[in-house]
Amino acid sequence: MKFVILFCLLAMSFAAPQEDAQIIRDDRVDNGDGSFSYSFAADNGLEMEVAGVPGSEGQSNMQGYYLLPLESGGFARVDFVADEAGFQPQSDLLPTPHPLPEHVHELLRIAEEQRAQGITFE
């Protein structure tokens, strides 16, 4: 998970215009029990906030967001959760699959009915 955060910060630093940015916020809290939080902001608009707690398998479960600079100016926000299920980002930037055609929904409904009736195919 630390690698994911480091990668995100590194990607943000390369994507941003290379100018001298001043840090306007850098708050870090380590509670000593594996839980933590940090927030970072620069005067050029880059920003990130993360909170984490110990996970069930020894990892850090985290949630937060970061801002990515856009070529057109401005920033896009990426919210994320990173836990036992992996890194799960949510953003308008991320592609989404095309909706399934109506006939596929009908086929899935029929297949579910057949499974419920004990019908199997080999």
Side-chain angles (χ1 to χ4, degrees):
M1 289 300 142
K2 292 178 184 177
F3 176 74
V4 171
I5 292 172
L6 180 61
F7 177 76
C8 291
L9 288 173
L10 185 63
M12 286 178 18
S13 68
F14 283 115
Q18 299 300 313
E19 58 186 53
D20 291 333
Q22 299 296 313
I23 304 302
I24 57 176
R25 183 181 47 172
D26 186 1
D27 299 321
R28 303 168 197 221
V29 176
D30 180 354
N31 297 316
D33 61 357
S35 63
F36 64 91
S37 65
Y38 64 86
S39 62
F40 165 88
D43 64 355
N44 63 359
L46 292 179
E47 187 175 316
M48 181 175 200
E49 289 187 15
V50 177
V53 296
S56 63
E57 299 178 17
Q59 80 285 355
S60 290
N61 288 347
M62 297 180 276
Q63 68 178 37
Y65 75 90
Y66 53 91
L67 300 181
L68 293 173
L70 300 173
E71 287 184 17
S72 61
F75 292 85
R77 181 177 169 128
V78 178
D79 293 289
F80 69 90
V81 171
D83 58 16
E84 292 87 357
F87 183 70
Q88 305 153 57
Q90 293 182 344
S91 174
D92 292 338
L93 289 177
L94 300 174
T96 57
H98 294 287
L100 293 175
E102 188 56 40
H103 73 276
V104 173
H105 290 287
E106 178 65 15
L107 292 173
L108 291 172
R109 185 192 60 74
I110 292 169
E112 185 60 36
E113 285 178 2
Q114 291 173 339
R115 277 192 288 279
Q117 295 170 3
I119 298 173
T120 60
F121 297 94
E122 295 183 26

